[in-house]
């Protein structure tokens, strides 16, 4: 079981002066879910090297058993500090693709041509593609082989407009995942704010928020074990 996890390389929250990046829980929880299931994991990012972490994901209230385990795991930290670039990565070499969130993906992965090409290649090979929280931003411009939006006619979820408003960033973010999915013909679904909620439609898996990280990863493992 070989899983490619692609993180953001973007570290600025628009022109607010605030930092952003990956939400640590959304990287750590799936990483260890996959690792404990016996997966070989490759971490990648558009710029390679050490991706930015959202400082808000490092405050005590945001930390979990998975983030604490990550901080103590030398191999995990080494992989994180040395992510490979997307150059040369091929869907042929992996069994599933996973995107952690944090606000960063709204700025880079939503429009990154190499990332989008990888998503489309995984879909063409009928391999699981998954994303959690703001990670689904990576899916908004992907298309199927016939040129239709990837999410058209698909049940999907992602960080809700209400959750974005709750954190006061609805006027800062460059796009709304909820609105983009609806615009592209997706059937957007949601659970309660901040509660675990994941949706599976075929080989496409999406999770709503940080609390959905484990559930989203578990659905990928189910698909790979079927």
């Amino acid at each position: 079981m070989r899983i490619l996890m692609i993180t953001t390389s973007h570290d600025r929250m628009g022109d607010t002066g605030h930092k952003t990046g990956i939400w640590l829980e959304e990287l750590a929880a799936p990483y260890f879910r996959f690792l404990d299931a016996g997966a070989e994991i490759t971490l990648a990012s558009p710029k390679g090297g050490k991706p930015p972490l959202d400082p808000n994901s490092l405050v005590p209230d945001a930390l979990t058993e998975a983030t604490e385990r990550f901080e103590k795991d030398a191999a995990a930290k080494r992989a994180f500090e040395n992510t490979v670039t997307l150059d040369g990565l091929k869907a042929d070499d992996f069994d599933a693709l996973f995107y952690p969130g944090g606000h960063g993906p709204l700025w880079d992965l939503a429009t990154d041509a190499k990332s989008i090409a990888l998503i489309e290649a995984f879909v063409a090979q009928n391999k699981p593609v998954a994303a959690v929280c703001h990670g689904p931003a990576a899916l908004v411009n992907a298309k199927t082989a016939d040129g239709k939006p990837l999410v058209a006619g698909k049940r999907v979820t992602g960080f809700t407009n209400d959750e974005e408003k709750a954190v006061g960033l609805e006027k800062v973010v460059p796009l709304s995942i909820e609105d983009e999915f609806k615009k592209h013909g997706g059937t957007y679904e949601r659970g309660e704010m901040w509660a675990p909620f994941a949706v599976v439609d075929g080989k496409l898996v999406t999770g709503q928020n940080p609390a959905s990280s484990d559930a989203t990863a578990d659905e990928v493992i189910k698909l790979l074990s079927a």
Side-chain angles (χ1 to χ4, degrees):
M1 184 161 57
R2 300 160 301 172
I3 298 178
L4 175 61
M5 297 181 72
I6 297 179
T7 76
T8 182
S9 289
H10 187 85
D11 66 355
R12 289 170 290 109
M13 188 76 76
D15 56 5
T16 64
H18 296 297
K19 294 288 188 180
T20 189
I22 304 162
W23 197 261
L24 181 56
E25 158 69 13
E26 297 167 24
L27 172 76
Y31 181 91
F32 288 118
R33 276 294 209 262
F34 297 146
L35 190 69
D36 292 346
E40 177 185 329
I41 305 164
T42 296
L43 297 184
S45 63
K47 294 182 179 179
K50 185 178 180 179
L53 281 171
D54 189 316
N56 289 325
S57 74
L58 304 177
V59 302
D61 285 350
L63 300 181
T64 63
E65 288 184 11
T67 62
E68 291 172 11
R69 180 178 172 186
F70 184 84
E71 288 300 324
K72 297 174 182 176
D73 190 310
K77 294 194 77 171
R78 187 164 55 250
F80 176 72
E81 291 169 359
N82 297 279
T83 66
V84 301
T85 65
L86 307 186
D87 298 312
L89 293 178
K90 298 178 181 178
D92 309 46
D93 297 328
F94 302 95
D95 301 306
L97 175 61
F98 191 98
Y99 287 87
H103 279 84
L106 298 176
W107 277 273
D108 62 355
L109 293 175
T111 55
D112 188 283
K114 293 175 184 175
S115 171
I116 291 169
L118 277 167
I119 291 169
E120 293 173 349
F122 272 83
V123 171
Q125 294 183 24
N126 197 33
K127 293 177 176 178
V129 172
V132 65
C133 197
H134 289 92
L139 308 175
V140 298
N141 288 307
K143 292 181 169 57
T144 57
D146 58 4
K148 295 179 181 177
L150 172 61
V151 300
K154 294 278 192 180
R155 296 170 52 242
V156 286
T157 191
F159 206 61
T160 68
N161 287 345
D162 287 341
E163 286 166 322
E164 204 70 83
K165 289 175 183 175
V167 296
L169 293 170
E170 76 278 8
K171 294 181 180 178
V172 175
V173 295
L175 61 88
S176 152
I177 292 170
E178 179 176 339
D179 291 351
E180 288 294 310
F181 279 172
K182 290 176 179 176
K183 181 176 77 176
H184 292 306
T187 300
Y188 181 84
E189 300 181 1
R190 56 169 292 173
E192 295 180 16
M193 286 177 60
W194 315 120
F197 185 74
V199 174
V200 182
D201 193 321
K203 296 292 180 69
L204 184 63
V205 184
T206 45
Q208 180 177 317
N209 49 36
S212 308
S213 300
D214 282 334
T216 308
D218 288 344
E219 293 296 347
V220 174
I221 293 169
K222 287 180 190 175
L223 287 172
L224 293 175
S225 302

